[in-house]
Amino acid sequence: LAYRLNDALIFMGGVRLANGLTLGYAFDLPVTNLITATYASHELFLTYDFNISLEKKKNRYKSVRIL
């Protein structure tokens, strides 16, 4: 649940599928006079999370000759 100041009320939900994939749905309900022109908006989204590690690896060689 989210609220955009003087604009809309947002309902969101999602399901983690597998291997970093997420499928979700969002519903935006305007709270201004725009509601008379357009009732609401529906959004489907698919996201992918990359598993990136920013930690330094241990056991790295310090010599340039040994790579």
Side-chain angles (χ1 to χ4, degrees):
L1 181 65
Y3 178 73
R4 263 191 308 248
L5 188 61
N6 297 325
D7 186 35
L9 187 61
I10 302 121
F11 300 95
M12 293 179 70
V15 176
R16 287 188 187 256
L17 300 174
N19 298 329
L21 284 175
T22 302
L23 179 65
Y25 172 76
F27 177 76
D28 292 6
L29 182 65
V31 293
T32 61
N33 292 337
L34 185 61
I35 197 167
T36 58
T38 175
Y39 175 68
S41 69
H42 302 271
E43 302 173 21
L44 287 174
F45 57 89
L46 181 67
T47 62
Y48 181 76
D49 294 326
F50 293 95
N51 188 10
I52 299 174
S53 176
L54 299 177
E55 297 177 7
K56 289 186 176 182
K57 292 183 179 180
K58 295 179 181 178
N59 301 331
R60 294 193 78 179
Y61 296 107
K62 296 192 186 245
S63 174
V64 178
R65 294 183 301 170
I66 305 172
L67 296 176

